Amino acid sequence: MQINTDGLVVLEKPMPENDKLITILTREYGIIRAFARGVKNVKNKNFSATQQFCYSDFVIFKGRDKCIVNEASARKSFWGLRSDIEKLALAQYFCDLILNLVAEGQRHTEDILRLCLNSLHYLSEGKISDKLLKSVFEMRLLAMSGYMPNLVTCDHCEGAGCWDFYFVPDANGIICSECIGNYNFAKFKLTDSVLHALRHTVYSEFNKMFAFELAMQSQGELLAMTEAYLLRCLEKNLKTLDFYNKLVVN
């Protein structure tokens, strides 16, 4: 069976000889793991198109036990990410999240691919704060993966009249000041601007997802909330996240 698809290489694993096993986030077939023969050789015609972070068109033979890349043609490589260690680490974290939240063979992953491509574009161009970019990517990917939080009304009383909220990751949403006493979980006090930004990461139209501004201090507050929610949903730590955070702190 032959598959023709576009996709982003989110992981590459060296194999014996000049081969690699690459993991591709595709538009229609979710995650595909495929062997790419001879691509560690720079003279191989598929060398560039099978590098990590490369968005390419693929012709893949899908056999009973494995998939093999027959052809690959690069559309965009995002090579600029490799010149900045922090951006490279953040891009690797994005790919790690894809591997943890998108199932192999999951169908209709066009929006997730689009999110990842847009995020890598903005990351490489440096036109958006890395903090904002990370928060948007985390929350939007979680929402697409079945972890949509309730950011509209208090998740406890469902009252819409209160305007004073906390974000409680373990409650999967926001809790009003009148109900927060019922929760002993970690909580984050929300200012109006951060609440608006948090809602924007999840509910905004796709083409307006990255079109908002937030003060630097508020970006840090938003970042802490989105990361806490992501770790709560994943229920595990990620080495790529730990590495990125160490780089940013240092």
Side-chain angles (χ1 to χ4, degrees), residues 87-115:
K87 292 185 181 296
L88 178 61
L90 187 54
Q92 289 174 331
Y93 168 60
F94 287 169
C95 290
D96 200 7
L97 285 183
I98 293 295
L99 294 171
N100 277 274
L101 290 169
V102 181
E104 189 168 356
Q106 179 180 330
R107 307 287 291 188
H108 308 300
T109 46
E110 179 176 2
D111 285 344
I112 294 177
L113 175 61
R114 186 180 171 194
L115 170 66

Side-chain angles (χ1 to χ4, degrees), residues 75-143:
R75 289 195 188 186
K76 190 170 180 62
S77 63
F78 301 106
W79 283 109
L81 296 173
R82 291 167 172 80
S83 63
D84 186 314
I85 184 63
E86 288 186 11
K87 292 185 181 296
L88 178 61
L90 187 54
Q92 289 174 331
Y93 168 60
F94 287 169
C95 290
D96 200 7
L97 285 183
I98 293 295
L99 294 171
N100 277 274
L101 290 169
V102 181
E104 189 168 356
Q106 179 180 330
R107 307 287 291 188
H108 308 300
T109 46
E110 179 176 2
D111 285 344
I112 294 177
L113 175 61
R114 186 180 171 194
L115 170 66
C116 203
L117 292 174
N118 285 352
S119 298
L120 292 181
H121 168 74
Y122 284 117
L123 182 60
S124 61
E125 293 294 318
K127 295 180 180 179
I128 296 177
S129 160
D130 288 357
K131 289 183 178 180
L132 282 184
L133 194 60
K134 179 175 178 290
S135 292
V136 172
F137 186 86
E138 288 171 337
M139 293 302 288
R140 200 64 167 225
L141 182 59
L142 286 170

Side-chain angles (χ1 to χ4, degrees), residues 149-164:
N150 173 18
L151 303 174
V152 179
T153 61
C154 174
D155 200 63
H156 186 81
C157 69
E158 299 182 353
C162 180
W163 299 102
D164 192 16

Side-chain angles (χ1 to χ4, degrees), residues 64-78:
R64 180 179 300 177
D65 301 320
K66 61 183 178 181
C67 295
I68 298 173
V69 176
N70 286 338
E71 297 180 29
S73 177
R75 289 195 188 186
K76 190 170 180 62
S77 63
F78 301 106

Side-chain angles (χ1 to χ4, degrees), residues 149 155 166-175 180 183-188 225 228-233 235:
D155 200 63
Y166 291 79
F167 179 62
V168 184
D170 285 276
N172 299 316
I174 57 176
I175 304 297
I180 195 64
Y183 293 84
N184 294 320
F185 306 122
K187 50 186 175 288
F188 300 87
M225 295 176 197
Y229 184 61
L230 180 130
L231 292 175
R232 181 264 169 197
C233 292
E235 297 183 332

Side-chain angles (χ1 to χ4, degrees), residues 39-82:
V39 295
K40 287 193 289 186
N41 187 332
V42 295
K43 296 182 179 180
N44 187 283
K45 65 178 182 178
N46 296 329
F47 173 80
S48 296
T50 54
Q51 302 292 309
Q52 188 181 28
F53 311 129
C54 194
Y55 172 49
S56 306
D57 290 313
F58 293 95
V59 179
I60 299 171
F61 172 75
K62 186 174 183 180
R64 180 179 300 177
D65 301 320
K66 61 183 178 181
C67 295
I68 298 173
V69 176
N70 286 338
E71 297 180 29
S73 177
R75 289 195 188 186
K76 190 170 180 62
S77 63
F78 301 106
W79 283 109
L81 296 173
R82 291 167 172 80

